[in-house]
Amino acid sequence: IVHSGDLFESYHPDVETLNRAVSVLRKVKEAGVPFLAITGNHDRPIRRGVCPPQELLENLELLTLLDFNRLEKPVVLKGVYFAGVRYLPKKHLEAFLESKREELSANAKKFGLSVFPFHQAIEPLLSFEGAYELYVPQLPDGFTYYAAGHVHKPFVCRHPSSGAVVYPGATE
């Protein structure tokens, strides 16, 4: 399972919500299904020194965070490479992509299949000024599938030199 952010509505979910998440993710783990995730804008802490709830779930070994900045080694499952970027405001996203785009692209091209989760709005979907964080060609090249989050309506397009960019829509 690849989750593209906003697993929670807040970076400080109540105990009942966390308990429910732990219960569900334990069942997923017991079934032998890996759960990979990035954080979205809702579950991103806005204060320094505060971690997102996904870090607790990762410490419990119920999920793996795919944030490329914090990965110590590539995440490869059954020959598929996974790397992603958590929600970042536009100026931080541009700096991240500028510094990491080539490395991400090179890693993706080493594997036959690769998945890049991200939690930003793209220009073709939200085309009015200021509503989007990036253009599709700014995404790293070489990924087979771009698992998009942040926008709550289904949308599919193609990266100009790679695979499908897919917003599945909201679960509700």
Side-chain angles (χ1 to χ4, degrees):
I1 297 171
V2 177
H3 194 278
S4 296
D6 291 347
L7 184 60
F8 299 97
E9 184 60 30
S10 164
Y11 71 91
H12 54 82
D14 59 68
V15 175
E16 182 181 334
T17 301
L18 271 174
N19 188 46
R20 218 173 314 141
V22 168
S23 176
V24 168
L25 290 175
R26 276 193 182 135
K27 289 177 185 175
V28 170
K29 182 178 180 172
E30 288 166 5
V33 178
F35 192 96
L36 310 171
I38 58 170
T39 57
N41 59 311
H42 287 275
D43 40 32
R44 176 183 143 243
I46 54 175
R47 292 187 298 194
R48 291 183 191 270
V50 177
C51 68
Q54 287 90 332
E55 280 191 31
L56 169 67
L57 299 173
E58 184 174 49
N59 289 338
L60 294 170
E61 299 180 352
L62 297 174
L63 64 76
T64 300
L65 280 171
L66 292 173
D67 187 3
F68 190 72
N69 270 339
R70 63 187 296 281
L71 288 175
E72 295 174 12
K73 60 182 182 173
V75 175
V76 181
L77 298 172
K78 297 185 178 184
V80 180
Y81 170 65
F82 295 87
V85 60
R86 69 186 186 279
Y87 173 81
L88 293 171
K90 190 173 186 171
K91 69 179 182 177
H92 297 291
L93 177 65
E94 289 171 355
F96 168 81
L97 289 173
E98 187 174 310
S99 67
K100 302 292 185 183
R101 189 174 191 279
E102 287 182 29
E103 184 179 356
L104 283 161
S105 296
N107 287 346
K109 291 172 185 173
K110 289 179 191 175
F111 297 90
L113 297 173
S114 54
V115 179
F116 186 79
F118 67 98
H119 192 88
Q120 282 81 24
I122 57 173
E123 186 275 330
L125 187 53
L126 296 177
S127 57
F128 49 96
E129 189 60 38
Y132 58 90
E133 285 92 18
L134 74 144
Y135 296 98
V136 172
Q138 289 177 289
L139 290 166
D141 295 329
F143 283 86
T144 313
Y145 185 81
Y146 298 83
H150 191 49
V151 177
H152 292 215
K153 68 178 189 177
F155 180 79
V156 178
C157 67
R158 293 209 57 86
H159 186 283
S161 63
S162 302
V165 177
V166 179
Y167 286 90
T171 54
E172 71 270 6

